[in-house]
């Protein structure tokens, strides 16, 4: 199949475009949010297409994978095709609902032309999608390999914009965990984090945005990975840390309990319990190694690309055949 898909969520896209199809990614001169293109990513089965090329070759597209509601009209203006009517289409919902949860209505609730594909079962449960057909395809991650050494008695965190997203990302909890060990925070937009947390350089270090290979190596040197998010769809950084073989300390909200099995670290809604687990991993490096191997085994089983692509192929095949699947969560989950 030739699949039209915008480059919106880089982590999710990295797994998606490694399937067996050809992926057509819109690009424009600005390379902004509506035409980012490949952005230098090494995706051999993905090709860039300008608006002019899409206007000429729109009929060669077999399906559209939407991620923003604005893309529905954009597809029609670029190709003349109506998603879900003239061309098979699905909508990927990356996010947890906001507002009056669990009453939040999905923007595509009750329409039946475009199935909604959630990336976690928690999201599918919490969004009110009405009578819209719903699927769940859990994340797929390209395995970076076992990189854990745990040589540094420090905790690693990966989060973008930790100051602006303070409560959501749980960065207000970092002072609690800094009692166990110094914390290294990786990501984008971390200016002012030290002031926001009140932690000095001896307890908190902002490491910045690193290339993925460098990030994986650096995270692997930390004794454990900390995932302090209160409200998230399920951070791909957490899954990647598990693939790397890090033991994980995870605030027990949203999908965390499903992603992290017993023996892979600690999942709890009690920061004191997580702090105790952090201290235990720091004091017992052999236990940390074992927990990290358990985390990696769980990540390989649930979030491997083979399972991810097989599920997506089924969803796309049903959309292409005009078979929308069951409209209840029980019948539609993958």
């Amino acid at each position: 199949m030739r699949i039209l898909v915008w480059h919106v969520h880089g982590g999710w896209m990295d797994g998606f475009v490694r399937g067996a199809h050809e992926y057509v990614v819109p690009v424009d001169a600005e390379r902004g949010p509506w035409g980012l293109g490949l952005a230098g990513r090494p995706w051999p089965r993905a090709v860039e297409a300008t608006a002019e090329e899409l206007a000429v070759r729109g009929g060669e597209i077999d399906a559209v994978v939407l991620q923003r509601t604005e893309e529905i009209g954009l597809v029609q203006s670029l190709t003349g095709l109506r998603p879900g009517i003239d061309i098979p289409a699905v909508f990927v919902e990356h996010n947890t609902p906001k507002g009056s949860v669990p009453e939040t209505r999905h923007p595509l609730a009750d329409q039946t032309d475009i199935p909604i594909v959630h990336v976690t079962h928690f999201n599918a449960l919490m969004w009110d999608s009405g009578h819209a057909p719903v699927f769940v395809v859990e994340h797929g991650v390209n395995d970076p390999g076992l990189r854990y050494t745990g040589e540094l008695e420090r905790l690693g965190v990966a989060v973008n914009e930790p100051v602006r997203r303070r409560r959501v990302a749980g960065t207000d909890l970092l002072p609690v965990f800094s009692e166990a060990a110094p914390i290294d925070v990786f990501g984008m937009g971390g200016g002012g984090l030290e002031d926001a947390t009140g932690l000095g350089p001896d307890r908190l270090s902002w490491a910045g945005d690193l290339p993925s290979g460098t990030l994986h190596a650096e995270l692997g040197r930390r004794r454990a990975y900390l995932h302090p998010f209160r409200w998230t769809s399920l951070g791909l950084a957490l899954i990647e840390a598990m693939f790397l073989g890090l033991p994980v300390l995870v605030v027990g909200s949203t999908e965390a309990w499903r992603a992290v099995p017993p023996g892979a670290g600690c999942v709890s809604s009690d920061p004191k319990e997580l702090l105790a687990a952090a201290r235990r991993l720091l004091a017992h490096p052999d236990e940390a190694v074992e927990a990290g191997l358990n985390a990696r085994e769980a990540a390989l089983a649930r979030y491997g690309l083979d399972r991810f692509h097989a599920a997506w192929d089924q969803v796309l095949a049903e959309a292409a055949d005009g078979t929308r699947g069951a409209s209840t969560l029980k019948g539609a989950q993958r």
Side-chain angles (χ1 to χ4, degrees), residues 229-278:
F229 285 76
R230 284 186 175 89
W231 191 248
T232 179
S233 183
L234 183 61
L236 281 168
L238 168 62
I239 300 173
E240 288 182 352
M242 294 171 66
F243 269 98
L244 294 169
L246 277 88
V248 292
L249 304 163
V250 185
V251 169
S253 63
T254 63
E255 191 86 348
W257 69 271
R258 181 177 173 87
V260 182
C266 181
V267 179
S268 177
S269 56
D270 181 356
K272 293 180 180 178
E273 186 175 349
L274 291 170
L275 179 61

Side-chain angles (χ1 to χ4, degrees), residues 30-43:
E30 292 77 19
R31 291 191 176 268
W34 303 103
L36 182 58
L38 303 188
R41 299 293 188 100
W43 295 332

Side-chain angles (χ1 to χ4, degrees), residues 71-83:
E71 293 173 9
I72 298 173
L74 192 55
V75 169
Q76 186 168 355
S77 66
L78 288 173
T79 68
L81 301 172
R82 296 167 295 174

Side-chain angles (χ1 to χ4, degrees), residues 110-278:
D110 285 334
Q111 59 76 44
T112 57
D113 294 323
I114 302 175
I116 302 169
V117 183
H118 290 285
V119 297
T120 73
H121 291 273
F122 179 87
N123 290 1
L125 181 70
M126 299 304 286
W127 276 106
D128 178 4
S129 298
H131 298 295
V134 170
F135 296 92
V136 175
V137 179
E138 298 182 276
H139 285 301
V141 172
N142 186 40
D143 180 14
L146 179 62
R147 307 288 293 276
Y148 182 68
T149 66
E151 64 201 77
L152 300 179
E153 294 183 357
R154 304 174 71 91
L155 303 177
V157 179
V159 55
N160 293 327
E161 300 186 84
V163 177
R164 183 183 69 81
R165 303 168 66 207
R166 180 173 176 271
R167 288 280 301 176
V168 169
T171 46
D172 61 306
L173 300 174
L174 295 184
V176 174
F177 296 108
S178 73
E179 296 175 16
I183 301 173
D184 298 316
V185 184
F186 302 84
M188 298 184 292
L193 180 60
E194 294 85 353
D195 291 339
T197 59
L199 295 174
D202 60 325
R203 307 313 295 169
L204 179 73
S205 172
W206 172 251
D209 187 24
L210 303 180
S212 59
T214 305
L215 173 62
H216 293 156
E218 286 301 317
L219 280 177
R221 300 177 65 206
R222 274 68 189 170
R223 184 62 54 84
Y225 182 80
L226 172 62
H227 187 71
F229 285 76
R230 284 186 175 89
W231 191 248
T232 179
S233 183
L234 183 61
L236 281 168
L238 168 62
I239 300 173
E240 288 182 352
M242 294 171 66
F243 269 98
L244 294 169
L246 277 88
V248 292
L249 304 163
V250 185
V251 169
S253 63
T254 63
E255 191 86 348
W257 69 271
R258 181 177 173 87
V260 182
C266 181
V267 179
S268 177
S269 56
D270 181 356
K272 293 180 180 178
E273 186 175 349
L274 291 170
L275 179 61

Side-chain angles (χ1 to χ4, degrees), residues 283-300:
H284 302 282
D286 290 344
E287 181 180 340
V289 169
E290 182 179 355
L293 291 174
N294 290 337
R296 175 169 168 79
E297 182 180 1
L300 287 167

